[in-house]
């Protein structure tokens, strides 16, 4: 979450900008953001929203805007970011981490830049500061005097920073760049003499003397014409220097704190923190975003002697985040800033404890001869020196908790930040380390990182390709930097061309390597440190056709048992090679999955996981319709898994279907691509309970794949069942004539295969298409035949289904009593009539509609209300809509209408 004042007043979230509404609401928010964490009296807000005397209802208007802002913030989960809009007496206060406010971060960067000794670092920080501006400050607010004054103050600070940036370029000898920066602002602010003076000096030093003199005369005329004044001393001096042709490019300049104007320097600049030890690496270039992580790190670093544990996968940017944060907060550590790379994931070997301690002690001023030779002695001396210091210790790339314990300073004012690819639970347990997890970048931040390397112009010119590139890199900063490096090396290569190359999964990882740096190299170092069992499971995860695994799936892939697989998954989670998405489910980052796919695994792992999928889906079907005949037999070469998950009831099975829908689809597609037709159609056919539950959910392409596979497999029984299911789905989708082609073929195929249950189901589904085309009598005859076939096969479930549809067909022809009798006969076939089921809901609804048709309104309403209640208890929204829709035809009850509308909204969202 980010609050913006430097441009249009807005609140940005991962889901997009919040719809703040009218200008006065934005103005109220701006007034609160200009004084974050401080109460703003209602009277002051009135002055902000109205120029003159506020209207009588002004206080109510403000309350309304505050209420709406609170609602918007709540919808955006602002509380998770530490944001709260509170009432405090007769004032309002916006409590928030100030790092979420772009104006605060701008001022932080400017302050930090002023204290830099190296001109290049100062330039980088001014660039970061100015990149936060999206346009004129406070755009979109009501132009009241308080807000105009605030906008003017922010603009003054921006212009001063532009002048300081140009001064930094001058110190680097880049006078042409200084001139370019100043010219852009001087064109807009031609009467600002400090800008013109700096521009004249920059032009002169860049060897463009005639332009410098011309700019002076242009400015002089404007001052005379617009203000009736002559140039001031600063502008006149710059002109005199240009006129004499002076301008030694070797002359050093620095930025003075008050006026931010270049002034001569004699001798080296002094450190902003005299005597401060600083072992930090240079500030990372192109760092962008990470507002929430920076805030979390600042919170973790608060308190007494905290140990902060920054964790995340290889290449996610942990070091960049910590070094960036350390540079931003260096003023808080006057006792020194220590840094050590412990190389826990490097081929070069880890430094010894004594080596690290020796570097720290030397930095803290200990003479080499006074440094103890033993690790214990050196550690004790380090802790004694740190005891009274306000010290920051960064321990980077840590492999295990034991690596860092003797390096913790222990002083109450010291902060230790540890980075690792592992979660280091031991450090959390022994030293109360405070975790700060780092995840991949969102596409917007990934695109911004590309822009920082390649330049905004190149990225903006191909904005769509840049975003696609960020997505293909999976938001992994290492991958993004490698991609940017390749593009930077070929300035004429379009971003779209590289996006097209990265779209090829077989080449993606090789394209994300440059020299000895890349995603494969980083992941390889992590994998090589895994225990053998975890490495074995990781390699086999690459054979999974889906995106998520549970312990049963991982076991099937690796040929182990669920307990062993779960232990391996936990180890892989600790190493950030897999991510736990919910309890008992894990996933791999796209690039990690591609890496795992390239590792050695047993050749039959893929077939094992497909057979595990088939077995689990059959178990789910059995939980949905207990005691029902299996929808297919297992293939002859089926490989039974060691264990599959079990389902205690229908609800648990349906929840599994909902969670695994995408992975089941991917498994079927992968089986089809591999020519494993016997697995393809079985996986898809086993999805029928979810198809029935969510029929309008785009099942047709998947069923067409199943039909191809059944035909390729030469299984007539399977072909007839897939045709019947596909025809029913097409009928429900409104493609009735297309459905009829499949449904008319299905019964004959089932009869030829000796499958009376399948024939009965096909006839029922055919009747629905016939009825939709007006053939009610033909449809009824088909249902009678289906009921007889099912009864002969001892299939009560299909018989009940046939009677249900027969009752519906009789309702359609206004045969009320036969419809009621048929529905009651169907209900009698239910061995557990008290248990709510989808079929029972539909039969009760049919009874209610028949009774209403016969004129028995009281009993009809009772039956329909019962059907609606049972459907609601099941979460069966389609049944709720059908039952309540029938009730609303005879009742205008407002509560019924509300229930109907609620169910309809859910149903629409689901479909």
């Amino acid at each position: 979450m980010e609050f913006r004042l430097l441009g249009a007043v807005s609140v940005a979230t991962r889901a997009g900008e919040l719809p703040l509404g009218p200008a006065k609401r934005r103005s109220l928010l701006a007034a609160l953001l200009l004084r974050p964490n401080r109460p703003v009296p209602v009277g002051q807000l009135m002055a902000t929203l109205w120029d003159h005397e506020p209207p009588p209802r002004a206080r109510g208007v403000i309350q309304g805007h505050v209420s709406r802002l609170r609602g918007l913030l709540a919808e955006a989960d602002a509380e998770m970011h530490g944001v709260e809009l509170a009432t405090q007496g007769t004032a309002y206060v916006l409590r928030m981490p100030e790092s979420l406010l772009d104006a605060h971060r701008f001022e932080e960067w400017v302050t930090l830049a002023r204290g830099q000794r190296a001109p290049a670092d100062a330039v980088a920080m001014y660039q970061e500061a100015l990149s936060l501006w999206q346009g004129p400050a406070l755009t979109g607010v009501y132009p009241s005097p308080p807000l105009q004054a605030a906008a003017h103050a922010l603009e003054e600070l921006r212009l001063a920073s532009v002048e300081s940036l140009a001064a930094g370029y001058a110190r680097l000898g880049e006078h042409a760049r200084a001139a370019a920066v100043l010219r852009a602002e001087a064109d807009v602010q031609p009467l600002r003499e400090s800008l013109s003076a700096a521009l004249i000096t920059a032009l002169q030093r860049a060897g463009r003397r005639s332009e410098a003199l011309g700019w002076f005369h242009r400015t002089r005329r404007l001052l005379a014409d617009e203000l009736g004044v002559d140039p001031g001393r600063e502008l006149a001096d710059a002109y005199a220097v240009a006129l004499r042709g002076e301008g030694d490019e070797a002359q050093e300049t620095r930025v003075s704190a008050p006026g931010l104007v270049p002034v001569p320097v004699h001798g080296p600049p002094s450190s902003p923190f005299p005597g401060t030890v600083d072992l930090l690496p240079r500030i990372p270039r192109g760092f962008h975003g990470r507002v929430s992580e920076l805030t979390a790190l600042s919170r973790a670093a608060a308190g007494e002697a905290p140990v902060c544990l920054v964790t995340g996968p290889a290449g996610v940017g942990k070091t960049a985040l910590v070094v960036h944060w350390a540079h931003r907060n260096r003023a808080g550590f006057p006792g020194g800033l220590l840094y050590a790379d412990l190389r826990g994931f490097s081929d070069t070997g880890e430094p010894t404890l004594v080596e690290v301690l020796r570097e720290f002690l030397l930095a803290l001023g200990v003479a080499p001869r006074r440094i103890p030779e033993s690790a214990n002695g050196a550690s004790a001396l380090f802790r004694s020196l740190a005891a009274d210091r306000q010290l920051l210790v960064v321990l980077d790339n840590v492999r295990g908790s034991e690596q860092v314990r003797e390096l913790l300073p222990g002083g109450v004012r010291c902060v230790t930040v540890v980075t690792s690819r592992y979660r280091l639970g031991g450090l959390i347990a022994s030293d109360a380390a405070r975790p700060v997890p780092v995840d991949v970048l969102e596409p917007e931040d990934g695109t911004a990182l590309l822009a920082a390397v390649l330049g905004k112009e190149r990225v903006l010119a191909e904005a769509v390709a840049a975003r696609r590139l960020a997505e293909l890199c999976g938001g992994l900063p290492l991958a993004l930097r490698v991609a940017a490096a390749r593009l930077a090396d070929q300035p004429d290569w379009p971003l779209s061309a590289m996006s097209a190359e990265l779209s090829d999964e077989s080449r993606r990882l090789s394209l994300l390597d440059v020299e000895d740096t890349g995603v494969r190299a980083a992941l390889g170092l992590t994998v090589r440190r895994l225990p053998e069992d975890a490495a074995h499971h990781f390699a086999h995860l690459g054979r999974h056709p889906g995106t998520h695994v549970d312990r049963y799936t991982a076991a099937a892939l690796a040929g182990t048992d669920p307990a062993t697989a779960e232990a391996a998954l936990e180890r892989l989670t600790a190493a950030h090679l897999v991510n736990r998405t919910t309890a008992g489910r894990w996933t791999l980052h796209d690039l990690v999955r591609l890496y795992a796919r390239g590792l050695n695994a047993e050749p039959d792992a893929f077939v094992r996981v497909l057979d595990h999928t088939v077995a689990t889906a059959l178990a789910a079907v059995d939980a949905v319709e207990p005691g029902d005949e299996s929808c297919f037999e297992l293939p002859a070469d089926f490989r039974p898994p060691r264990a599959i998950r079990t389902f205690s009831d229908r609800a648990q099975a349906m929840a599994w279907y909902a969670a695994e829908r995408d992975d089941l689809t991917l498994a079927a597609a992968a089986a089809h691509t591999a020519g494993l037709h016997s697995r393809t159609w079985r996986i898809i056919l086993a999805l029928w309970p979810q198809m029935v539950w969510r029929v309008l959910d785009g099942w047709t392409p998947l069923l067409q794949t199943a039909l191809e596979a059944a035909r390729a497999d030469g299984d007539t029984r399977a072909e007839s069942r897939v045709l019947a299911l596909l025809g029913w789905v097409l009928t429900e989708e409104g493609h009735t004539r297309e459905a009829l082609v499949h449904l008319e073929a299905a019964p004959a195929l089932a009869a030829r295969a000796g499958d009376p249950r399948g024939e009965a189901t096909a006839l029922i589904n055919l009747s629905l298409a016939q009825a939709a085309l007006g053939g009610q009598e033909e449809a009824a005859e088909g249902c009678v035949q289906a009921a007889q076939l099912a009864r002969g096969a001892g299939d009560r479930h299909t018989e009940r289904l046939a009677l249900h549809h027969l009752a519906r067909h009789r309702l359609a022809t206004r045969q009320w009593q036969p419809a009621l009798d048929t529905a009651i006969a169907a209900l009698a076939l239910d061995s557990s009539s008290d248990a709510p089921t989808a079929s029972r809901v539909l039969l009760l609804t049919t009874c209610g509609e028949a009774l209403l048709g016969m004129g028995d309104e009281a009993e009809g309403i009772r039956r329909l209300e019962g059907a609606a209640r049972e459907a609601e208890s099941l979460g069966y929204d389609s049944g709720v809509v059908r039952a309540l829709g029938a009730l609303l035809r005879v009742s205008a009850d407002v509560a019924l209408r509300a229930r109907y509308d609620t169910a309809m909204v859910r149903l629409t969202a689901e479909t």
Side-chain angles (χ1 to χ4, degrees):
M1 174 170 280
E2 181 182 28
F3 294 85
R4 296 172 179 167
L5 294 175
L6 307 182
V9 173
S10 61
V11 183
T13 69
R14 290 189 175 184
E17 288 192 1
L18 298 186
L20 295 178
K24 290 202 172 179
R25 190 175 301 146
R26 293 176 184 270
S27 304
L28 187 145
L29 176 61
L32 295 170
L33 288 172
L34 288 166
R35 293 172 57 86
N37 301 306
R38 288 179 288 175
V40 182
V42 169
Q44 189 172 327
L45 292 174
M46 288 181 181
T48 301
L49 300 187
W50 288 278
D51 277 342
H52 305 295
E53 188 69 23
R57 294 185 57 254
R59 192 176 296 271
V61 170
I62 288 174
Q63 289 173 344
H65 286 316
V66 168
S67 176
R68 181 57 183 149
L69 284 174
R70 281 177 175 152
L72 290 170
L73 291 172
E75 290 170 12
D77 294 324
E79 190 175 347
M80 290 177 57
H81 298 275
V83 178
E84 178 192 14
L85 177 49
T87 303
Q88 190 169 317
T90 59
Y92 296 102
V93 57
L94 187 58
R95 300 192 180 105
M96 60 184 291
E98 293 188 15
S99 59
L100 299 182
L101 179 60
D102 61 354
H104 174 79
R105 296 203 310 279
F106 170 69
E107 292 186 21
E108 274 194 334
W109 276 114
V110 169
T111 302
L112 191 59
R114 288 173 180 169
Q116 295 304 305
R117 289 172 288 179
D121 288 342
V123 163
M125 291 173 187
Y126 280 122
Q127 286 174 330
E128 289 283 354
L130 291 166
S131 71
L132 294 169
W133 284 74
Q134 308 285 323
L138 304 184
T139 299
V141 301
Y142 181 70
S144 62
L147 291 180
Q148 286 181 319
H152 178 73
L154 288 168
E155 177 65 10
E156 280 296 310
L157 186 54
R158 186 188 72 83
L159 289 171
S161 301
V162 170
E163 293 174 0
S164 297
L165 173 61
Y169 282 137
R171 290 174 64 188
L172 293 171
E174 298 181 18
H175 301 297
R177 292 188 71 177
V181 167
L182 293 164
R183 179 66 177 265
E185 297 298 337
D187 279 333
V188 181
Q189 301 278 349
L191 298 178
R192 187 180 177 94
E193 291 190 50
S194 60
L195 269 177
S196 292
L199 175 58
I200 290 166
T201 301
L203 289 169
Q204 165 64 17
R205 290 179 174 172
R208 295 152 63 182
R209 183 181 178 218
S210 60
E211 286 183 61
L213 297 175
W215 192 266
F216 169 78
H217 290 299
R218 175 180 182 272
T219 307
R220 179 182 55 78
R221 285 193 299 272
L222 280 171
L223 289 170
D225 294 344
E226 299 289 333
L227 303 178
V229 298
D230 293 326
R233 176 67 177 272
E234 186 181 359
L235 187 57
D237 286 349
Y239 171 64
V241 170
L243 194 62
R244 291 194 298 269
E246 298 173 359
D248 180 8
E249 292 193 9
Q251 178 189 18
E252 290 190 23
T253 60
R254 66 172 170 85
V255 179
S256 63
L260 301 165
V261 179
V263 297
V265 171
H266 303 288
S270 59
S271 166
F273 308 110
T276 298
V277 175
D278 186 354
L279 299 183
L280 290 177
R282 67 176 176 81
I283 192 165
R285 299 286 187 261
F287 185 88
H288 186 84
R290 299 293 195 196
V291 173
S292 59
E293 289 90 346
L294 289 167
T295 302
L297 186 51
S298 293
R299 287 178 178 168
E304 196 171 284
V307 178
C308 312
L309 178 56
V310 177
T311 62
V316 82
K318 301 179 291 295
T319 301
L321 170 75
V322 170
V323 173
H324 178 85
W325 177 86
H327 276 284
R328 274 182 52 172
N329 292 275
R330 60 191 305 132
F333 303 101
L337 303 106
L338 303 180
Y339 171 89
D341 182 357
L342 299 190
R343 303 196 297 272
F345 304 92
S346 170
D347 285 331
T348 59
E350 301 169 6
T352 65
L353 177 59
V354 170
E355 287 173 339
V356 177
L357 286 167
R358 181 177 178 82
E359 187 174 352
F360 284 179
L361 291 171
L362 287 171
L364 293 172
V366 179
R369 65 180 182 278
R370 289 191 57 234
I371 297 176
E373 293 184 6
S374 71
N376 288 340
S379 179
L381 179 56
F382 172 57
R383 286 194 297 273
S384 68
L385 289 173
D388 297 322
R389 286 178 176 255
Q390 201 163 340
L391 194 68
L392 172 66
V393 179
V394 177
L395 303 173
D396 202 10
N397 291 312
V398 173
R399 170 188 45 78
S401 303
E402 74 283 356
Q403 260 190 310
V404 302
R405 289 198 176 98
E406 293 302 317
L407 294 171
L408 301 180
V412 294
R413 296 186 299 161
C414 294
V415 173
T416 307
V417 181
V418 175
T419 78
S420 181
R421 298 180 190 181
Y422 294 159
R423 298 190 187 277
L424 301 187
L427 196 63
I428 296 173
S430 64
D431 293 274
R434 303 169 186 182
V436 180
V438 182
D439 206 346
V440 295
L441 295 171
E442 293 295 318
E444 293 79 7
D445 287 333
T447 306
L449 192 154
L450 290 173
V453 179
L454 300 174
K456 289 184 179 179
E457 297 79 5
R458 188 173 178 187
V459 169
L460 287 174
E462 292 188 83
V464 174
R467 184 181 177 90
R468 176 61 179 153
L469 197 59
E471 290 170 347
L472 288 168
C473 289
L476 197 67
L478 174 61
L480 287 161
R481 289 183 182 279
V482 171
R486 286 189 174 277
L487 287 163
D489 195 43
Q490 303 181 66
D492 297 328
W493 195 23
L495 273 65
S496 56
M498 185 161 194
S499 293
E501 290 197 0
L502 285 177
S503 296
D504 181 356
E505 289 190 349
S506 65
R507 299 182 60 212
R508 190 177 304 168
L509 283 179
S510 62
L511 289 169
L512 293 176
D513 285 337
V514 56
E515 295 183 356
D516 60 345
T517 300
V519 177
R520 280 191 301 198
L523 290 172
L525 291 170
T526 305
V527 172
R528 282 200 290 276
R529 292 196 174 272
L530 290 173
E532 183 178 347
D533 192 54
H536 172 80
H537 281 81
F538 178 68
H540 285 78
L541 291 177
R543 299 297 185 270
H544 184 42
T547 59
H548 290 76
V549 296
D550 58 15
R551 64 195 190 110
Y552 299 98
T553 307
L557 284 161
T560 61
D561 60 86
T564 302
E566 185 170 17
L569 287 167
E570 292 291 349
R571 181 73 189 194
L572 294 172
T573 302
H576 287 95
L577 288 169
V578 302
N579 300 315
R580 184 186 286 103
T581 53
T582 57
R585 288 187 98 220
W586 291 265
T587 189
L588 283 75
H589 185 281
D590 287 346
L591 296 179
V592 176
R593 183 178 294 108
L594 290 178
Y595 179 81
R597 197 175 293 170
L599 300 176
N600 290 328
E602 295 165 8
D604 59 348
F606 178 57
V607 176
R608 280 202 306 258
V609 78
L610 291 179
D611 285 347
H612 166 266
T613 302
V614 169
T616 309
L618 278 179
V621 170
D622 189 54
V624 172
E625 294 291 344
D628 195 18
E629 178 206 40
S630 175
C631 53
F632 52 76
E633 293 180 352
L634 295 171
D637 59 346
F638 179 76
R639 304 183 184 197
R642 291 195 192 180
I644 60 169
R645 66 161 53 238
T646 56
F647 302 96
S648 59
D649 54 26
R650 172 189 172 82
Q652 196 177 66
M654 294 306 297
W656 178 82
Y657 273 121
E660 300 295 332
R661 159 80 185 272
D662 291 341
D663 272 12
L664 290 167
T665 302
L666 288 169
H672 191 55
T673 301
L676 297 171
H677 306 301
S678 63
R679 272 70 175 178
T680 304
W681 66 259
R682 281 179 169 86
I683 291 171
I684 296 171
L685 199 55
L687 282 165
W688 74 259
Q690 195 181 26
M691 295 182 192
V692 171
W693 201 253
R694 299 282 182 258
V695 61
L696 299 178
D697 214 12
W699 298 105
T700 298
L702 194 62
L703 285 166
Q704 288 169 338
T705 298
L707 185 59
E708 290 177 22
R711 286 171 174 166
D713 199 28
D715 192 315
T716 306
R717 183 178 186 273
E719 183 182 354
S720 72
R721 294 209 168 197
V722 173
L723 281 170
L725 188 53
L726 174 58
W728 175 70
V729 168
L730 286 167
T731 302
E732 292 293 312
E733 290 178 343
H735 305 301
T736 313
R737 295 199 179 278
E738 183 184 349
L740 209 57
V741 175
H742 301 301
L743 291 168
E744 286 176 340
L749 280 172
R752 192 190 316 160
D755 180 16
R757 292 165 56 96
E759 185 181 357
T761 301
L763 286 168
I764 294 167
N765 293 355
L766 175 60
S767 79
L768 297 176
Q770 292 168 333
L773 294 172
Q776 296 290 352
E777 289 303 319
E778 188 180 16
E781 289 171 8
C783 287
V784 170
Q785 184 184 350
Q788 291 170 347
L789 281 166
R791 193 176 304 120
D795 180 1
R796 295 167 67 89
H797 169 76
T798 304
E799 183 184 357
R800 185 172 63 245
L801 187 64
L803 292 176
H804 163 70
H805 286 292
L806 177 59
R808 298 301 303 176
H809 296 318
R810 286 172 172 167
L811 269 184
T813 53
R814 306 176 70 82
Q815 299 177 60
W816 310 121
Q817 188 64 54
L820 178 62
D821 294 343
T822 304
I824 291 172
L827 281 168
L829 290 172
D830 194 340
S831 58
S832 54
S833 58
D834 292 332
T837 62
S839 62
R840 176 178 162 80
V841 166
L842 295 175
L843 286 168
L844 287 173
T845 302
T846 299
C847 290
E849 291 179 273
L851 287 162
L852 289 179
M854 294 166 63
D856 191 348
E857 190 169 294
E859 182 61 17
I861 288 173
R862 189 184 72 79
R863 294 287 185 104
L864 289 170
E865 178 62 34
R869 293 291 181 196
E870 289 195 13
E872 286 169 335
S873 72
L874 286 168
Y876 180 30
D877 294 320
S878 180
V880 176
V881 167
R882 181 171 291 184
L884 291 179
L887 269 175
L888 286 169
R889 287 194 286 272
V890 295
S891 171
D893 186 271
V894 175
L896 286 178
R897 169 60 65 182
R899 287 164 63 194
Y900 176 87
D901 289 343
T902 300
M904 182 59 79
V905 167
R906 283 198 305 266
L907 188 63
T908 303
E910 290 159 1
T911 56

